[in-house]
Amino acid sequence: CSFLDDNIGKIINTLDKTGLKNSTRIIYTSDHGENLGVRGLWGKSNMYEESAAIPLILCGPDVPSGKTVKTAVSLLDAYPTILECVGEQAAIEDMSRPGKSLLRIVDVEDDPKRTIFAEYHAVGAPTGVFLIRKGCYKLIHYVDYDPELFDIESDPLEKKDLASNPKYTSVLNDLQRELSSICNPKEVD
């Protein structure tokens, strides 16, 4: 972590020395996490938080300093954010792409109803895996396997699968409907 911090510091110092710090927005993120042995898993071929979650830090002009946003976001939001940062509009054929500028998301109240979708199709895996995140709930769906449902606010380590708990049937059904509105997992798999 200190190696990363040192290198980010070098970028910020260079922006400061060149007079660009106050006119430059910085987005720090990555493409995925890593299990590193958590749950006995190595790699990234699942949708648990240690693998699916990504770091995301946005700073610069028009970005509130120190604000933490709880609205679910994804890397699909990077495209409209970058376009907005450079003052460009999406091409007409790209207007319907998913994603929303992070500059718009950071400006408003948290949106617990925003739905995030992800999928992963691993080499050699018996099935693809699909993720729906909405508010504090996360559905992990494997074709022909039981779903997993987690409340990642009260259970950030995802130790309590709520999918079979009758108290969460409506949440599970809602997230499964969200998934079905995006794709048919059986067909995509």
Side-chain angles (χ1 to χ4, degrees):
C1 201
S2 61
F3 177 74
L4 178 63
D5 291 343
D6 184 56
N7 284 304
I8 291 172
K10 288 177 182 176
I11 292 168
I12 291 171
N13 288 337
T14 300
L15 290 171
D16 200 23
K17 287 178 188 173
T18 58
L20 296 171
K21 186 176 176 184
N22 293 331
S23 63
T24 302
R25 291 188 186 103
I26 299 171
I27 301 171
Y28 169 75
T29 191
S30 72
D31 64 337
H32 61 80
E34 175 71 43
N35 283 101
L36 296 175
V38 176
R39 301 170 212 276
L41 302 171
W42 294 90
K44 60 181 181 196
S45 57
N46 61 72
M47 291 295 181
Y48 296 118
E49 284 298 285
E50 58 271 5
S51 177
I54 58 168
L56 178 60
I57 299 171
L58 178 66
C59 68
D62 303 322
V63 178
S65 180
K67 181 175 181 181
T68 298
V69 175
K70 291 189 177 199
T71 299
V73 297
S74 89
L75 289 175
L76 294 174
D77 298 318
Y79 173 69
T81 304
I82 293 166
L83 285 178
E84 184 173 351
C85 285
V86 298
E88 290 294 323
Q89 295 279 336
I92 299 221
E93 61 271 14
D94 292 337
M95 292 281 193
S96 64
R97 288 183 183 267
K100 182 176 179 178
S101 172
L102 297 167
L103 296 170
R104 298 304 111 228
I105 292 171
V106 76
D107 261 353
V108 297
E109 294 294 318
D110 288 331
D111 180 2
K113 295 187 190 293
R114 185 163 197 243
T115 300
I116 296 299
F117 166 78
E119 62 186 311
Y120 184 79
H121 302 275
V123 174
T127 177
V129 60
F130 301 85
L131 174 149
I132 293 289
R133 166 79 192 277
K134 187 174 181 183
C136 64
Y137 294 107
K138 181 168 79 173
L139 169 70
I140 301 175
H141 177 90
Y142 294 91
V143 175
D144 296 328
Y145 290 86
D146 291 335
E148 293 177 285
L149 176 68
F150 298 100
D151 178 338
I152 58 174
E153 281 185 16
S154 68
D155 179 24
L157 299 178
E158 297 166 303
K159 300 238 181 213
K160 283 194 296 189
D161 181 1
L162 305 171
S164 62
N165 185 330
K167 202 168 120 180
Y168 294 92
T169 300
S170 65
V171 173
L172 179 62
N173 290 340
D174 177 50
L175 296 181
Q176 287 175 320
R177 272 191 303 277
E178 292 277 359
L179 176 58
S180 294
S181 75
I182 295 168
C183 73
N184 179 328
K186 257 193 196 294
E187 286 178 12
V188 172
D189 190 45

